[in-house]
Amino acid sequence: KNEVEQSPQNLTAQEGEFITINCSYSVGISALHWLQQHPGGGIVSLFMLSSGKKKHGRLIATINIQEKHSSLHITASHPRDSAVYICAVRLKKETSGSRLTFGEGTQLTVNP
Amino acid sequence: DAGVIQSPRHEVTEMGQEVTLRCKPISGHNSLFWYRQTMMRGLELLIYFNNNVPIDDSGMPEDRFSAKMPNASFSTLKIQPSEPRDSAVYFCASSLNFADGSNYGYTFGSGTRLTVV
């Protein structure tokens, strides 16, 4: 069983829809990242969370430490939001450095 | 800052050849990571450095892989000899890690797409 699990694996939406991608983890963490990867492109860090909620434009990320769960929401989705969204965690057991453990990613396609 | 800079962007090489991937982290960052991404395994950590010292290389597949960080502004990942199964996208990332374990500015490079034929 992966330490980090995302759902759904694939998501297709119509432009304008509200989108939610979920991430659950099974171990203690010190931080959680949401990453975005466009086809053939690099990886962009959208958020780093250790508690609560963060918002940037149409993107909102929340985390519930007790439930070991995080969600990424996209409001008023647009075709340019089409990408793979990856949840990654920094394990609390790490005594030095900040290596990430990744979920398998969610492929989001937003149709016009 | 130009971000994390990787070179080359694309590399096609023949099986058995030596391949060297390069990374320049963000100035001031003290942690550097090499990740590999494949369709089958997703993103996985190969090795990471803290203050130029390798901390964990347990993700390095085998002795054909080696990584160095001779100074704070440069790292290399070398594969010798290369094999077709090494074909993947290799990402370098850097961050600023504090003594209390907190972390700032995790940034990925654009990646090197390696194809071994």
Side-chain angles (χ1 to χ4, degrees):
Chain A
K1 189 179 189 314
N2 271 357
E3 289 174 315
V4 182
E5 298 215 333
Q6 286 184 236
S7 63
Q9 282 191 310
N10 292 282
L11 180 57
T12 301
Q14 286 300 120
E15 184 173 355
E17 284 185 4
F18 180 84
I19 287 160
T20 296
I21 300 170
N22 295 300
C23 176
S24 297
Y25 50 93
S26 56
V27 293
I29 69 168
S30 54
L32 181 145
H33 294 248
W34 280 102
L35 309 172
Q36 180 192 56
Q37 185 174 29
H38 283 280
I43 297 173
V44 175
S45 179
L46 298 174
F47 295 104
M48 186 181 76
L49 293 162
S50 53
S51 65
K53 175 179 169 178
K54 286 189 176 179
K55 184 176 190 290
H56 186 256
R58 295 181 294 107
L59 302 178
I60 303 167
T62 64
I63 188 168
N64 185 317
I65 297 295
Q66 287 74 27
E67 294 186 4
K68 293 186 166 63
H69 181 267
S70 175
S71 293
L72 176 69
H73 306 285
I74 305 176
T75 61
S77 59
H78 190 277
R80 65 174 175 266
D81 297 327
S82 299
V84 175
Y85 292 84
I86 303 168
C87 172
V89 301
R90 187 150 51 92
L91 303 181
K92 195 173 274 186
K93 67 181 180 182
E94 291 289 317
T95 54
S96 63
S98 48
R99 57 178 290 175
L100 296 179
T101 300
F102 299 90
E104 293 185 352
T106 295
Q107 172 69 63
L108 171 66
T109 304
V110 182
N111 294 318
Chain B
D1 200 316
V4 176
I5 299 172
Q6 289 187 246
S7 64
R9 287 297 304 272
H10 302 274
E11 176 82 35
V12 180
T13 191
E14 289 187 344
M15 183 172 67
Q17 296 297 305
E18 177 180 295
V19 175
T20 299
L21 311 182
R22 296 174 176 79
C23 176
K24 180 179 176 0
I26 288 177
S27 177
H29 280 188
N30 58 4
S31 293
L32 182 141
F33 309 83
W34 283 102
Y35 292 99
R36 179 171 67 175
Q37 186 179 38
T38 61
M39 288 293 291
M40 292 297 293
R41 300 170 67 97
L43 273 161
E44 51 186 350
L45 178 74
L46 299 176
I47 185 171
Y48 76 93
F49 296 84
N50 209 36
N51 295 317
N52 311 342
V53 176
I55 302 299
D56 183 354
D57 65 354
S58 59
M60 295 284 262
E62 48 200 88
D63 291 346
R64 297 184 298 106
F65 285 67
S66 62
K68 292 183 181 178
M69 192 165 186
N71 57 61
S73 58
F74 184 66
S75 176
T76 59
L77 177 68
K78 188 177 290 189
I79 308 172
Q80 165 64 21
S82 57
E83 297 182 3
R85 60 192 167 124
D86 302 330
S87 298
V89 181
Y90 292 80
F91 288 99
C92 177
S94 72
S95 70
L96 180 58
N97 205 53
F98 295 99
D100 65 356
S102 60
N103 180 256
Y104 175 78
Y106 216 108
T107 305
F108 285 80
S110 299
T112 294
R113 183 174 295 276
L114 173 65
T115 304
V116 183
V117 297

